[in-house]
C-alpha cells in the first residue's frame, strides 16, 4: 500500500473548492457508476449524483480529514444513502433498504448470550469487523451513516424517513446485534 | 452497556471497526473504478462542475504558446543531444550523412571533409560507401578541385550541360571526381599519380586512338559507356561517362592544370 493512500487527500493551503475539484476529478466516475446501480432513469441518476455532492460539501471538514484509503468507501456510502433516500421518496422499495430489521433476531441465536459481563476493551478489532460484515445490510447502512459518514441523527433519520427516536432504537439494536454476533462466535476463545 | 464509560468504549470500538470496514470497501471500490460501466455525458459533467464551482478553463493563448515553445525547446534539446552522442561515437558517419544530404539537396555544390582518421567502424552499416582517405580537409566548389596527393589544382573549362560535381573520393594513388546531371547520368574523372595504367590489353580493346592536348589517348566504348584514358606528365587521366565520344573528348580537352 502506498504512503499516499494513507494520507488525507486534502493538502495544506488548499481551499474547499480546490479540494472538491480534486474529489470530482478523482471520484466522479465512481460516484456516477454507483448512482447508476440504483436507478435506470437518467434524471434520477443525475439527481442522486448532485445530491451526493451537496451532502459531501455539507460534511466537508469530515471529508477533508479522512485518509485517502477510506475516501472511496466514504463517498460510495454517501451515494448509497442519498439513493436510498431518493428511493424512499419515490415510494419504491429499494433493493437495499432499511426495513429489513428482524425483530426476533436475538432469538435466532442457538445459544443466547449476555452482553453484560463482556470486557469490551479486549475485543479483537479484526474479528469484530468480521462480525459487522455479517450484519444485515440495512443495519450496516445505519452504522455506516453513523460512524463512517458521521452524519447527525437528524440527517440519518431524514434519510430513512423516520423520527430521531426511532433511529436511536434502530441504532441501538444494530449495535447489539453486532456485539452479539461477535460474542457468540468468539465466546469459546476466552 | 452498564454505564457511561462502557458506552464510550463501545462507541470507540464501533468507530474504529467501521473505519476498518470502510477501508475494506475502499480497496474493492478502487478495483471497480478501474473499469467503469457507465460514463456521464459531458453536459452532465459541466453541470456538476458548475455546481462545485469549477470554472471552465478559458484558452490562454499566451500560455499555450509558451507551452508549445517549451515543448519545442525540449524536443530540439533532445535532438541536439542525440546528434551529439551519435557524432561522438560515429563522427565519420555523421559527416558523410550530412555530405550526402547536402549534395542531394544542392546539386551545384559539393563539400567533402577528408580527415586523417582511420575508420574503426563499418560505414556500410549506414548505407554509405566511402573509401577511407588520409589527407587534409579539402573543400571543392563546382569545377575547381585539387588533387589531394600532390596539392595540384585542376579546372574543368568544359562540362556538359546540367552536370555538377557531387562527390570526391581520394584514395592514393587515385583521386576520383564524380559529376552528375539531373537525369542521374554520371561523368567520372580519375587522376592517377602514376603512368603505368595503359597496358597492351587496354590498347587492344580500344575503339579508336584520340588526342587530348596533343597527347595520345585511348578511347573505348562498352555498353554505351565511353572511356578515355591518357597520360600527361606524371599523371594518368581517365574520363568515364554515358556520353558520346565527342562530349567526353571535350571534357578531357577542357582539363587545365592551374
Amino acid at each position: 500500500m502506498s504512503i499516499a493512500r494513507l494520507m488525507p487527500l486534502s493538502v495544506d493551503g488548499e481551499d474547499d473548492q480546490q479540494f472538491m475539484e480534486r474529489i470530482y476529478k478523482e471520484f466522479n466516475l465512481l460516484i456516477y457508476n454507483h448512482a447508476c446501480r440504483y436507478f435506470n432513469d437518467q434524471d434520477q441518476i443525475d439527481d442522486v449524483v448532485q445530491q451526493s455532492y451537496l451532502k459531501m460539501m455539507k460534511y466537508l471538514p469530515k471529508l477533508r480529514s479522512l485518509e485517502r484509503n477510506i475516501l472511496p468507501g466514504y463517498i460510495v456510502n454517501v451515494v448509497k444513502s442519498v439513493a436510498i433516500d431518493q428511493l424512499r421518496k419515490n415510494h419504491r422499495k429499494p433493493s437495499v433498504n432499511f426495513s429489513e430489521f428482524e425483530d426476533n433476531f436475538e432469538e435466532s441465536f442457538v445459544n443466547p448470550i449476555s452482553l453484560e459481563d463482556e470486557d469490551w476493551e479486549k475485543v479483537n478489532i479484526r474479528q469484530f469487523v468480521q462480525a459487522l460484515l455479517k450484519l444485515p445490510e440495512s443495519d450496516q447502512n445505519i452504522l455506516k451513516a453513523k460512524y463512517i459518514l458521521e452524519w447527525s441523527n437528524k440527517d440519518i433519520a431524514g434519510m430513512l424517513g423516520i423520527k430521531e427516536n426511532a433511529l436511536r432504537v434502530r441504532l441501538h439494536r444494530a449495535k447489539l446485534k453486532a456485539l452479539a454476533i461477535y460474542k457468540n462466535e468468539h465466546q469459546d476463545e476466552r | 452497556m452498564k454505564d457511561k464509560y462502557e458506552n464510550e468504549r463501545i462507541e470507540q470500538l464501533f468507530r474504529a471497526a467501521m473505519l476498518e470496514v470502510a477501508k475494506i470497501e475502499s480497496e474493492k471500490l478502487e478495483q471497480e473504478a478501474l473499469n467503469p460501466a457507465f460514463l456521464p455525458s459531458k453536459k452532465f459533467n459541466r453541470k456538476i462542475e458548475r455546481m462545485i464551482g469549477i470554472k471552465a478553463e478559458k484558452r490562454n493563448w499566451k500560455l499555450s504558446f509558451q507551452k508549445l515553445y517549451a515543448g519545442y525547446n525540449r524536443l530540439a534539446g533532445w535532438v541536439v543531444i542525440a546528434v551529439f552522442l551519435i557524432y561522438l561515437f560515429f563522427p565519420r558517419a555523421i559527416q558523410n550523412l550530412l555530405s550526402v544530404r547536402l549534395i542531394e539537396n544542392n546539386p551545384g555544390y559539393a563539400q567533402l571533409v577528408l580527415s586523417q582518421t582511420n575508420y574503426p567502424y563499418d560505414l556500410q552499416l549506414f548505407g554509405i560507401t566511402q573509401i577511407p582517405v588520409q589527407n587534409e580537409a579539402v573543400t571543392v566548389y563546382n569545377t575547381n578541385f585539387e588533387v589531394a596527393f600532390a596539392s595540384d589544382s585542376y579546372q574543368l573549362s568544359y562540362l556538359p550541360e546540367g552536370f555538377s560535381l557531387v562527390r570526391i573520393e581520394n584514395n592514393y594513388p587515385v583521386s576520383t571526381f564524380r559529376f552528375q546531371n539531373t537525369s542521374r547520368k554520371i561523368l567520372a574523372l580519375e587522376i592517377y599519380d602514376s603512368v603505368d595504367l595503359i597496358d597492351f590489353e587496354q590498347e587492344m580493346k580500344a575503339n579508336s586512338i584520340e588526342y587530348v592536348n596533343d597527347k595520345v589517348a585511348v578511347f573505348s566504348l562498352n555498353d554505351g559507356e565511353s572511356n578515355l584514358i591518357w597520360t600527361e606528365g606524371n599523371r594518368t587521366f581517365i574520363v568515364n561517362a554515358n556520353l558520346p565520344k565527342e562530349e567526353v573528348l571535350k571534357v578531357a580537352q577542357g582539363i587545365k592544370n592551374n
Side-chain angles (χ1 to χ4, degrees):
Chain A
M1 182 184 290
S2 70
I3 292 173
R5 294 190 72 245
L6 296 173
M7 304 285 283
L9 186 65
S10 175
V11 294
D12 289 343
E14 185 182 48
D15 63 26
D16 289 347
Q17 189 181 315
Q18 287 169 325
F19 177 75
M20 280 309 295
E21 194 173 329
R22 287 206 296 131
I23 290 281
Y24 165 75
K25 283 178 180 166
E26 212 165 317
F27 298 109
N28 190 47
L29 271 181
L30 186 72
I31 292 168
Y32 186 81
N33 274 267
H34 272 267
C36 289
R37 290 184 180 188
Y38 296 92
F39 299 98
N40 291 321
D41 181 62
Q42 191 60 47
D43 287 341
Q44 290 193 315
I45 293 168
D46 293 357
D47 274 352
V48 167
V49 174
Q50 288 183 68
Q51 289 300 319
S52 300
Y53 276 105
L54 289 172
K55 263 302 192 229
M56 283 189 274
M57 285 190 240
K58 183 177 176 183
Y59 288 90
L60 204 52
K62 165 70 182 171
L63 195 62
R64 293 189 70 152
S65 70
L66 290 174
E67 289 170 1
R68 171 67 181 74
N69 62 348
I70 294 175
L71 269 177
Y74 181 93
I75 289 169
V76 164
N77 277 303
V78 172
V79 178
K80 189 190 277 184
S81 302
V82 171
I84 288 167
D85 190 24
Q86 187 75 26
L87 287 166
R88 184 185 55 76
K89 285 174 183 166
N90 292 348
H91 303 292
R92 283 178 52 193
K93 183 178 167 61
S95 58
V96 181
N97 64 62
F98 284 76
S99 59
E100 295 167 358
F101 188 78
E102 298 168 36
D103 287 326
N104 59 347
F105 182 81
E106 284 81 0
E107 286 73 31
S108 67
F109 290 122
V110 177
N111 181 19
I113 51 167
S114 164
L115 301 176
E116 297 295 319
D117 55 351
E118 184 66 37
D119 183 356
W120 297 112
E121 290 192 34
K122 293 180 180 173
V123 169
N124 181 313
I125 196 87
R126 284 192 178 181
Q127 290 172 344
F128 190 63
V129 166
Q130 293 308 312
L132 284 170
L133 292 172
K134 285 176 185 167
L135 282 175
E137 199 170 350
S138 55
D139 289 332
Q140 280 191 38
N141 287 337
I142 291 178
L143 292 173
K144 283 172 184 172
K146 178 72 181 172
Y147 294 105
I148 297 176
L149 305 183
E150 292 189 6
W151 284 7
S152 65
N153 284 356
K154 187 182 171 187
D155 277 359
I156 301 172
M159 172 185 76
L160 297 174
I162 57 174
K163 290 182 179 172
E164 282 187 61
N165 282 342
L167 173 71
R168 272 193 281 274
V169 172
R170 285 198 185 182
L171 256 175
H172 183 68
R173 285 179 177 177
K175 286 197 279 188
L176 279 180
K177 274 193 238 178
L179 295 169
I181 291 172
Y182 173 78
K183 191 166 182 182
N184 191 50
E185 289 190 349
H186 301 289
Q187 63 181 350
D188 298 336
E189 295 169 15
R190 288 183 293 272
Chain B
M1 298 181 199
K2 288 182 288 191
D3 52 28
K4 193 179 174 184
Y5 174 75
E6 192 171 276
N7 278 343
E8 187 54 39
R9 293 298 308 163
I10 289 173
E11 283 294 300
Q12 285 174 3
L13 173 66
F14 272 94
R15 200 164 284 123
M18 289 312 293
L19 280 178
E20 287 301 313
V21 170
K23 281 180 194 173
I24 293 167
E25 280 187 348
S26 293
E27 276 183 33
K28 290 180 189 168
L29 291 166
E30 294 268 17
Q31 291 301 314
E32 276 181 39
L34 296 175
N35 298 304
F38 306 98
L39 293 173
S41 66
K42 283 186 179 175
K43 188 180 168 189
F44 177 66
N45 277 345
R46 277 198 293 275
K47 199 172 167 183
I48 297 292
E49 285 167 8
R50 275 199 301 275
M51 191 182 84
I52 295 172
I54 302 172
K55 289 175 187 167
E57 286 179 15
K58 286 183 182 173
R59 194 168 187 86
N60 184 335
W61 289 102
K62 192 179 171 187
L63 193 66
S64 300
F65 177 76
Q66 283 173 342
K67 281 181 182 173
L68 187 71
Y69 186 67
Y72 169 77
N73 277 347
R74 264 199 301 278
L75 180 68
W78 281 113
V79 169
V80 167
I81 290 169
V83 169
F84 174 74
L85 287 174
I86 294 171
Y87 188 82
L88 197 66
F89 292 104
F90 309 102
R92 199 64 193 170
I94 294 293
Q95 284 173 4
N96 283 330
L97 193 67
L98 292 175
S99 297
V100 168
R101 292 281 169 267
L102 190 67
I103 288 165
E104 280 180 359
N105 292 309
N106 302 279
Y109 170 81
Q111 182 182 42
L112 184 67
V113 177
L114 311 173
S115 97
Q116 293 178 326
T117 314
N118 288 324
Y119 291 81
Y121 41 78
D122 186 4
L123 284 176
Q124 298 284 354
L125 290 174
F126 301 91
I128 297 167
T129 305
Q130 176 81 31
I131 301 165
V133 294
Q134 296 180 356
N135 295 285
E136 293 296 336
V138 174
T139 304
V140 180
Y141 298 94
N142 292 328
T143 55
N144 291 306
F145 48 87
E146 288 179 69
V147 176
F149 46 75
S151 301
D152 282 355
S153 184
Y154 290 88
Q155 186 174 9
L156 282 180
S157 60
Y158 174 78
L159 201 58
E161 195 176 340
F163 277 85
S164 59
L165 182 64
V166 293
R167 195 175 182 87
I168 301 171
E169 292 167 11
N170 280 322
N171 185 24
Y172 189 81
V174 61
S175 285
T176 305
F177 304 87
R178 291 183 189 278
F179 303 86
Q180 189 173 316
N181 67 2
T182 48
S183 52
R184 301 246 166 210
K185 279 190 173 178
I186 297 285
L187 186 155
L189 167 63
E190 294 175 7
I191 304 174
Y192 285 82
D193 189 25
S194 167
V195 291
D196 302 328
L197 295 174
I198 303 178
D199 55 19
F200 179 71
E201 193 180 344
Q202 277 181 311
E203 287 191 48
M204 290 299 287
K205 285 181 186 172
N207 290 84
S208 63
I209 298 297
E210 306 293 339
Y211 290 90
V212 177
N213 301 329
D214 299 330
K215 309 291 180 194
V216 174
V218 176
F219 177 82
S220 60
L221 184 67
N222 193 13
D223 292 335
E225 193 177 272
S226 300
N227 202 355
L228 187 68
I229 178 168
W230 75 100
T231 60
E232 193 173 330
N234 296 328
R235 309 270 185 267
T236 299
F237 297 83
I238 300 175
V239 177
N240 186 292
N242 295 104
L243 292 170
K245 182 170 81 175
E246 293 71 27
E247 284 290 295
V248 173
L249 274 170
K250 276 187 185 177
V251 171
Q253 283 162 352
I255 297 172
K256 308 290 181 197
N257 188 353
N258 296 326

